[in-house]
């Protein structure tokens, strides 16, 4: 008997019976065809959609080899279409106008609403006209900093209706991060909300936006308008109506006349008809920033036609979506998972989804399970960090609710440990659901390694096999292909329709980051292992990136936030395992001469990181380092720091260090919270 990761779980017969892809034999045939005849494979899928101009000849072209010229990826280049038209108008023409597109479930269980495909189109057209009235044109960037409210979906689709490019910044990022991103993409307009409740915490988003707008103009770019959804006012009005006598909280949202506009005022007079702007297949659809190992975020750019095909196809096969299913992805739209699998993928399939504003723990620790029961969810998609956090409360909160509607359970964002996988499978899925452990990235646009429900025998912790169109390889340090079982760099040797095309305004950085290390391949930055049966196991990042609760961060960006503190001479950050978050930040700080390393300094440093990046990046441990372990050439030996963080004295060869004595000093300086963290892992 091996550990749980060696067990194989076969899909339940009921799932197999109706699955789009119902055997490994069928999967292999489809996968082979997708690689050998991509034009036929994707061409047939494209037939479900509307093309204003069709593809005439060249279905796709690419160059992945940096030595042969610029990297380029193009799908269906001659075609033109509009993604919003395909998601809404085409579905309405097919008779889905009165179908619910989204059930919106608020932070407070008392707050919920729904929107049909027809209504969504009306709102989208109106807001597209609002954007146009403020001079937004095809190609302009619209920054979005919003909570999980329906207006966020409306804004995204309104942008795509007129060919504008949305650039969403997750609502947990700080004012500094928002300013940096708005400046980098030269946003014309910012769309936000007055605020949001997250659990029992109230966040005043508009105030964060005001600070960010100021900072952005100071660094040289003026965002012309800021459109504000009055979400808090709407909620408190609804509560006042339900509970007579209750007084809404008094908070005046700051408002700059001339620049700021209320969403409701703007929508009042807007026409609910907006002819779609036909765009070329390779015109940009959206950009989304992701952390870069140099510390400066990268504006990942996705284009129209390929992304549409890929979002639609992965959604259909990976969740085994069938008409009539109700689907729920818990991700915030501020991350790529929300883009592709809350908005574009489900709507491209005419699906009904739940959009959730709240947290798993409010008002009680069974909220996820309650929502599953309430909407009879069939397909559920969440992150290992949420599963681990919920496991801590035991089985009771799950058992209180009816989970029998579930058929497919998804996992995304980080490796799922076998223990969490088994809990998800046995308790939530009642031993009958397929678990899809989906590996992908902001850059890949959609799933690239994943099991298919009713098809792939599952192994806990393995993302299994490539999706259609994806050809993975494992490479050794010298770029040699590893065949059969082994471990190496995870790369892809061919483009698939949904992959990124460039980094906004910086094609050089795109080429260097993803294509330079191994010419001829897209390099994910992750490592992976292939077992005897060909299953792929993603082992984690091979660069200086870390994954905190499924959020990718670079050690460099945290270090640069820390060294901004006037009392800090040097900072080095390493990843440390964390029982719930997967990984967390362990920081080493060398203060300036004469500065006392105090709890006040630690608190200020934590605050600094929250301000520069966002609360989710807050360091777990901040340790005093009288010096950092540097080689004679000045390079920090990070493996030594990782060992200190883990209290592992097996540090290996340190003879190249300029000062070997520093290693012992670091071990003896480990703070008590470091031992506590280690014990909890
Ligand atoms: O390290 C991998 C990890 O998350 C990284 C991508 O992060 P991001 O661009 O923010 O997108 C997250 C949501 C798609 C990857 O490079 N990752 C994502 N999914 C998995 C994973 N690691 C292991 N298993 C996964 N299923």
């Amino acid at each position: 008997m091996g550990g749980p990761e060696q067990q194989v779980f076969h899909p339940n017969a009921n799932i197999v019976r109706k699955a789009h892809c119902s055997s490994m034999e069928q999967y292999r045939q489809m996968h082979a065809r997708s690689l050998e005849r991509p034009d036929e494979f994707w061409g047939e899928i494209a037939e479900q959609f509307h093309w204003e101009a069709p593809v005439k000849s060249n279905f796709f072209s690419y160059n992945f080899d940096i030595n042969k010229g610029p990297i380029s990826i193009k799908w269906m280049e001659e075609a033109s279409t509009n993604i919003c038209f395909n998601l809404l108008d085409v579905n309405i023409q097919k008779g889905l106008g009165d179908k619910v597109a989204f059930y919106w479930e608020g932070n407070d269980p008392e707050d919920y609403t729904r929107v049909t495909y027809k209504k969504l189109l009306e709102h989208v057209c109106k807001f597209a006209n609002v954007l146009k009235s403020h001079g937004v044109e095809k190609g302009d960037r619209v920054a979005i900093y919003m909570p999980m409210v329906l207006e966020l979906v409306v804004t995204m689709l309104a942008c795509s209706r007129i060919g504008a490019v949305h650039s969403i910044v997750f609502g947990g990022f700080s004012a500094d991060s928002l300013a940096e991103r708005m400046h980098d993409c030269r946003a014309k307009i910012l769309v936000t909300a007055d605020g949001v409740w997250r659990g029992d915490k109230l966040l005043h988003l508009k105030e964060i936006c005001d600070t960010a707008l100021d900072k952005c103009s100071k660094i040289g770019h003026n965002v012309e308008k800021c459109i504000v959804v009055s979400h808090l006012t709407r909620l408190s009005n609804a509560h006042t109506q339900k509970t007579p006598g209750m007084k809404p909280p008094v908070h005046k949202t700051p408002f700059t006349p001339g620049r700021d506009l209320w969403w409701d005022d703007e929508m009042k007079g807007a026409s609910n008809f907006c002819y779609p702007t036909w765009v070329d297949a390779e015109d940009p659809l959206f950009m989304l920033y992701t952390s870069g190992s140099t510390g400066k975020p990268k504006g990942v750019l996705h284009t129209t036609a390929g992304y549409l095909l890929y979002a639609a196809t992965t959604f259909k096969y990976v969740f085994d979506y069938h008409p009539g299913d109700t689907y729920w992805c818990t991700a915030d739209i501020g991350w790529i998972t929300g883009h592709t699998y809350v908005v574009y993928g489900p709507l491209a399939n005419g699906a009904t989804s739940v959009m959730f504003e709240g947290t798993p723990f409010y008002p009680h620790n069974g909220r996820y399970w309650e929502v599953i029961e309430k909407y009879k969810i069939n397909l559920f998609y969440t992150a290992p960090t949420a599963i681990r956090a919920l496991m801590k409360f035991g089985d009771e909160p799950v058992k209180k609710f009816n989970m029998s509607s579930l058929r497919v359970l998804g996992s995304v964002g980080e490796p799922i440990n076998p223990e969490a996988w088994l809990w998800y499978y046995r308790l939530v899925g009642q031993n009958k659901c397929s678990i899809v452990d989906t590996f992908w990235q902001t850059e890949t646009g959609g799933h690239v390694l994943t099991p298919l429900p009713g098809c792939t025998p599952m192994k806990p912790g393995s993302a299994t096999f490539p999706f259609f169109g994806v050809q993975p390889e494992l490479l050794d340090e010298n770029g040699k292909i590893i065949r059969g079982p082994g471990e190496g760099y995870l790369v892809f040797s061919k483009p698939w329709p949904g992959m990124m095309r460039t980094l906004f305004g910086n094609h050089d950085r795109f080429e260097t980051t993803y294509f330079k290390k191994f010419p001829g391949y897209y390099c994910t930055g992750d490592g992976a292992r292939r077992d005897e049966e060909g299953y792929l196991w993603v082992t984690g990042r091979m660069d200086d990136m870390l994954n905190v609760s499924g959020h990718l961060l670079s050690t460099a960006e945290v270090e640069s936030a820390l060294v901004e503190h006037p009392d800090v001479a040097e900072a080095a950050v390493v990843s440390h395992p964390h029982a719930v978050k997967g990984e967390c930040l362990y920081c080493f700080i060398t203060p300036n001469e004469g500065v006392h390393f105090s709890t006040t300094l630690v608190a200020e440093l934590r605050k600094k990181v929250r301000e520069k990046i966002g609360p989710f990046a807050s360091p777990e441990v901040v340790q005093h380092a009288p010096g950092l372990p540097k080689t004679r050439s000045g390079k920090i030996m990070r493996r030594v720091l990782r060992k200190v963080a883990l209290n592992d004295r097996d540090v290996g060869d340190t003879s190249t260090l300029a000062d070997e004595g520093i290693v012992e000093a670091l071990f003896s300086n480990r703070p008590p919270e470091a031992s506590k963290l280690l014990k909890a892992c």
Side-chain angles (χ1 to χ4, degrees):
M1 283 293 288
E5 66 281 7
Q6 276 142 347
Q7 285 178 46
V8 178
F9 292 77
H10 290 276
N12 181 290
N14 289 330
I15 302 181
V16 178
R17 204 168 307 131
K18 66 185 274 202
H20 291 300
C21 182
S22 57
S23 69
M24 283 305 280
E25 172 70 27
Q26 188 188 350
Y27 160 74
R28 280 190 204 101
Q29 277 174 15
M30 288 178 75
H31 185 249
R33 183 164 173 258
S34 71
L35 293 180
E36 285 154 21
R37 304 304 315 257
D39 44 349
E40 272 180 29
F41 185 91
W42 296 108
E44 281 165 20
I45 289 169
E47 281 168 20
Q48 305 157 28
F49 298 106
H50 172 85
W51 304 96
E52 188 60 12
V55 186
K56 286 185 222 98
S57 52
N58 196 12
F59 204 81
F60 85 116
S61 62
Y62 74 102
N63 173 38
F64 260 23
D65 190 341
I66 201 164
N67 298 324
K68 291 194 180 143
I71 303 296
S72 80
I73 303 143
K74 292 192 167 118
W75 287 84
M76 308 176 71
E77 213 184 346
E78 300 151 317
S80 71
T81 188
N82 180 285
I83 206 162
C84 172
F85 185 82
N86 277 297
L87 267 43
L88 301 180
D89 309 57
V90 169
N91 278 323
I92 293 166
Q93 283 161 18
K94 286 181 186 161
L96 302 182
D98 293 325
K99 186 173 176 178
V100 172
F102 289 103
Y103 289 107
W104 181 80
E105 173 81 11
N107 180 62
D108 186 323
E110 299 262 300
D111 300 322
Y112 51 88
T113 183
R114 61 178 67 183
V115 65
T116 61
Y117 275 81
K118 212 158 60 193
K119 265 279 163 226
L120 186 55
L121 176 61
E122 268 179 46
H123 294 312
V124 166
C125 285
K126 278 176 158 231
F127 196 63
N129 287 323
V130 170
L131 290 175
K132 282 210 258 185
S133 75
H134 292 292
V136 178
E137 292 177 359
K138 179 171 179 264
D140 285 344
R141 271 81 55 211
V142 173
I144 305 177
Y145 186 73
M146 278 172 111
M148 287 287 281
V149 291
L150 289 170
E151 285 86 351
L152 169 51
V153 179
V154 171
T155 306
M156 294 165 80
L157 298 179
C159 287
S160 69
R161 193 151 191 99
I162 61 172
V165 179
H166 57 75
S167 175
I168 304 184
V169 179
F170 169 58
F173 273 113
S174 66
D176 282 21
S177 296
L178 174 59
E180 185 182 16
R181 286 157 175 76
M182 286 194 297
H183 176 260
D184 187 78
C185 77
R186 303 289 190 273
K188 184 154 191 161
I189 281 194
L190 168 64
V191 185
T192 188
D194 47 1
V196 64
W197 285 95
R198 285 218 184 101
D200 51 13
K201 263 199 228 123
L202 177 59
L203 296 177
H204 293 297
L205 297 182
K206 176 60 172 44
E207 278 151 37
I208 299 174
C209 287
D210 280 5
T211 313
L213 287 163
D214 272 0
K215 288 194 178 205
C216 193
S217 14
K218 281 198 190 111
I219 49 178
H221 174 69
N222 232 4
V223 178
E224 292 166 25
K225 298 277 177 226
C226 176
I227 304 180
V228 190
V229 175
S230 49
H231 180 52
L232 287 180
T233 315
R234 163 173 69 195
L235 289 181
S236 59
N237 287 344
H239 287 198
T240 317
Q241 270 174 17
K242 274 186 217 151
T243 328
M246 185 186 123
K247 289 225 164 33
V250 186
H251 175 77
K252 206 153 163 33
T253 303
F255 198 83
T256 306
R259 183 197 68 189
D260 296 348
L261 306 156
W262 289 110
W263 173 285
D264 289 342
D265 293 348
E266 294 296 303
M267 290 289 266
K268 247 178 235 153
S271 155
N272 61 10
F273 176 78
C274 175
Y275 192 74
T277 301
W278 304 115
V279 301
D280 289 342
E282 283 299 341
D283 277 338
L285 173 64
F286 69 84
M287 46 188 299
L288 181 59
Y289 286 90
T290 186
S291 291
S293 53
T294 57
K296 192 175 149 38
K298 303 174 295 202
V300 168
L301 190 88
H302 285 283
T303 57
T304 304
Y307 179 82
L308 168 63
L309 296 189
Y310 204 68
T313 313
T314 47
F315 179 77
K316 174 177 166 183
Y317 284 94
V318 175
F319 299 110
D320 193 37
Y321 170 75
H322 293 267
D325 282 341
T326 306
Y327 162 83
W328 179 23
C329 168
T330 65
D332 192 291
I333 293 176
W335 305 104
I336 189 68
T337 307
H339 281 62
T340 310
Y341 300 112
V342 176
V343 182
Y344 288 108
L347 293 179
N349 282 273
T352 295
S353 308
V354 167
M355 178 177 176
F356 180 54
E357 181 190 37
T359 85
F361 319 107
Y362 184 84
H364 56 79
N365 297 322
R367 184 74 193 280
Y368 270 10
W369 323 124
E370 185 177 48
V371 173
I372 289 175
E373 178 183 279
K374 176 174 174 184
Y375 295 99
K376 299 190 174 57
I377 301 293
N378 310 106
L379 321 170
F380 178 61
Y381 195 27
T382 196
T385 185
I387 299 168
R388 287 192 296 265
L390 291 166
M391 272 170 79
K392 285 201 310 192
F393 304 109
D395 298 0
E396 281 319 302
V398 187
K399 285 186 175 157
K400 270 199 212 143
F401 298 98
N402 187 346
M403 300 286 101
S404 63
S405 56
L406 290 169
R407 193 170 84 244
V408 178
L409 300 175
S411 168
V412 59
E414 51 184 315
I416 178 163
N417 48 313
E419 198 197 354
W421 194 102
L422 288 172
W423 189 82
Y424 202 26
Y425 182 77
R426 296 206 165 120
L427 194 73
V428 181
Q430 302 177 341
N431 292 306
K432 65 174 179 56
C433 294
S434 275
I435 294 203
V436 287
D437 174 359
T438 60
F439 167 83
W440 59 296
Q441 307 176 298
T442 306
E443 293 88 338
T444 68
H447 308 133
V448 281
L449 302 180
T450 177
L452 298 181
C455 166
T456 318
M458 301 159 275
K459 293 189 186 183
S462 168
T464 74
F465 302 107
F467 189 72
F468 307 133
V470 176
Q471 188 160 11
E473 300 286 2
L474 299 184
L475 302 184
D476 70 14
E477 194 58 52
N478 303 317
K480 217 173 127 261
I481 294 184
I482 301 166
R483 304 206 188 274
E487 188 168 334
Y489 289 88
L490 175 65
V491 301
F492 297 110
S493 61
K494 277 190 172 151
W496 55 95
M499 79 176 293
M500 72 189 297
R501 301 300 196 256
T502 190
L503 291 175
F504 182 81
N506 202 343
H507 199 67
D508 280 355
R509 188 174 179 201
F510 168 69
E511 294 182 331
T512 317
T513 310
Y514 303 102
F515 293 92
K516 195 161 169 212
K517 189 169 173 71
F518 301 116
Y521 299 98
Y522 165 81
C523 185
T524 60
D526 285 289
R529 178 169 66 80
R530 190 188 289 112
D531 71 14
E532 301 283 339
E533 291 169 295
Y535 279 70
L536 290 165
W537 303 73
V538 178
T539 50
R541 301 291 309 183
M542 306 281 266
D543 49 16
D544 288 332
M545 307 287 280
L546 72 161
N547 197 319
V548 180
S549 301
H551 305 324
L552 208 58
L553 280 169
S554 75
T555 50
E557 71 187 308
V558 181
E559 284 162 5
S560 75
L562 292 168
V563 294
E564 273 192 19
H565 192 287
D567 289 347
V568 173
E570 278 191 295
V573 175
V574 296
S575 160
H576 188 288
H578 188 282
V580 171
K581 300 177 182 175
E583 289 177 78
C584 65
L585 294 153
Y586 192 119
C587 311
F588 294 87
I589 302 292
T590 309
N592 282 324
E593 270 308 304
V595 170
H596 174 59
F597 186 85
S598 61
T599 48
T600 317
L601 177 60
V602 171
E604 283 173 14
L605 289 171
R606 287 212 165 93
K607 186 160 167 258
K608 190 91 205 161
V609 177
R610 293 165 77 91
E611 278 171 9
K612 289 299 294 179
I613 307 172
F616 62 91
S618 191
E620 213 70 21
V621 178
V622 182
Q623 169 173 343
H624 178 211
L628 293 173
K630 289 189 186 160
T631 59
R632 279 180 208 100
S633 58
K635 200 169 170 316
I636 298 173
M637 221 187 242
R638 282 171 191 277
R639 82 180 150 78
V640 170
L641 295 176
R642 278 191 281 267
K643 292 282 185 181
V644 174
L646 292 171
N647 204 16
D648 176 357
R649 293 200 173 245
D650 184 13
V651 287
D653 181 12
T654 54
S655 58
T656 53
L657 285 181
D659 172 9
E660 277 192 81
I662 202 70
V663 179
E664 191 43 50
L666 288 172
F667 274 107
S668 51
N669 259 5
R670 280 171 46 83
E673 71 258 30
S675 311
K676 241 200 263 159
L677 174 66
L678 204 53
K679 237 195 240 148
C681 285

